[in-house]
Amino acid sequence: MITPTRFLAVVGCALTLLLASCATSPSGDGSALTRTTAAPSGPDAATPSRPASPGTSATPSPTGRAAPSVDCRKVKCVALTFDDGPGPLTGGLLDTLVRERVPAAFFLVGRMLRQHPEVARRIASTPGMTIANHTLSHPMLTRIGAAEARREIVGNTALITKVTGVRPRYLRPPYGLHNAAVDAVARSQGQAVVLWSAGALDWQYDKPGRIVEVTLPQIAPGAIVLAHDIHPWTVKAVPTLVAKLRAKGYTLVGLDDILGPTKAGRTYVRGRH
Ligand code: NI
């Protein structure tokens, strides 16, 4: 039987390991990093099978427990995704997600990543978290011309990979705006285009309670929730949102689990159910 003291020792040890892996070089040598770096072998390769998925392997979580395997065709799954960071609030959100054992995906913007590289590395080294591409400077990709759109996507892929050691396998075009040219670049980068089925509307509302209230009715099995880790009200809303989703019988999972195998360049709005 694990005594409270023993439990705290285990947690403390795991946190120490996390911090240690945050401090490694950008290429990273922690197992958490290498575990999530698998990339498609060619431009048209389907997203690789899922040894990289934290939810399907016996990866120890920060609390020392193995992450459960989840089949979203059998249980009601929902995935949380956070765009536009990393920012000053992302670390606090990560603390909450780890404490609540909630996987999540972070679609990083390059200009933010340059300001908060250590936060990006912490996301990358936290079991259950997925790093993804949200372009270098958050433009409307369909309005800036194909060459510039390519630079935004390819440049951020390279930046994320250099800083975190993780090559992103998902692209979310800002505002959900994409076209054939954008999809072709995503394909060339081995990235699926991942949109969302439920918007937290946290750019519109600034009260945690309102965000929960607006999000819940949009949730169905396989839902992908779009929120932003740059807003304090969003970070505050997460514990309540998670509790209410669980009370409705939902299992919170990462993108790998909810999407299953994906194809680079193809668009996904929701996950399996
Ligand atoms: Ni965005």
Side-chain angles (χ1 to χ4, degrees):
M1 179 176 166
I2 296 179
T3 63
T5 309
R6 169 74 182 136
F7 177 73
L8 285 175
V10 170
V11 170
C13 180
L15 285 175
T16 305
L17 285 172
L18 269 181
L19 291 171
S21 61
C22 287
T24 55
S25 66
S27 61
D29 57 5
S31 60
L33 290 180
T34 51
R35 208 177 47 249
T36 53
T37 49
S41 54
D44 282 311
T47 306
S49 56
R50 313 182 337 154
S53 167
T56 54
S57 61
T59 306
S61 76
T63 52
R65 296 163 58 132
S69 177
V70 178
D71 186 344
C72 293
R73 290 163 300 192
K74 293 181 179 163
V75 300
K76 287 164 46 175
C77 287
V78 56
L80 300 185
T81 66
F82 296 95
D83 288 13
D84 296 2
L89 305 174
T90 307
L93 174 60
L94 267 176
D95 292 340
T96 298
L97 295 170
V98 167
R99 187 176 65 241
E100 303 279 341
R101 292 200 294 278
V102 176
F106 291 82
F107 285 86
L108 306 185
V109 172
R111 69 174 174 217
M112 297 293 284
L113 177 55
R114 286 196 184 101
Q115 293 173 46
H116 305 280
E118 72 297 339
V119 180
R121 283 193 283 273
R122 192 183 153 205
I123 298 170
S125 63
T126 302
M129 305 304 158
T130 301
I131 293 258
N133 186 359
H134 200 41
T135 73
L136 279 175
S137 69
H138 207 274
M140 293 183 178
L141 290 173
T142 52
R143 298 201 182 172
I144 57 175
E148 188 61 14
R150 178 174 181 79
R151 196 186 70 80
E152 285 281 343
I153 297 167
V154 174
N156 203 34
T157 300
L159 181 64
I160 288 173
T161 307
K162 182 178 162 219
V163 170
T164 69
V166 176
R167 188 176 165 85
R169 294 187 292 113
Y170 305 116
L171 166 72
R172 177 170 286 157
Y175 316 101
L177 293 174
H178 65 120
N179 53 22
V182 169
D183 295 349
V185 178
R187 192 179 312 124
S188 78
Q189 297 297 290
Q191 292 165 10
V193 177
V194 177
L195 304 181
W196 61 93
S197 63
L201 304 188
D202 51 351
W203 45 270
Q204 186 175 352
Y205 302 112
D206 61 3
K207 300 276 187 299
R210 185 75 180 125
I211 287 161
V212 173
E213 205 175 270
V214 163
T215 307
L216 283 178
Q218 302 176 62
I219 303 295
I224 296 174
V225 178
L226 164 65
H228 299 83
D229 51 321
I230 53 171
H231 302 309
W233 45 87
T234 304
V235 174
K236 277 191 192 138
V238 165
T240 308
L241 182 60
V242 166
K244 289 192 181 272
L245 287 169
R246 284 178 167 154
K248 287 172 173 285
Y250 282 95
T251 301
L252 288 122
V253 301
L255 276 183
D256 289 346
D257 277 333
I258 208 158
L259 290 171
T262 54
K263 194 167 165 57
R266 186 172 288 177
T267 300
Y268 300 82
V269 173
R270 58 178 61 79
R272 303 186 290 182
H273 60 276

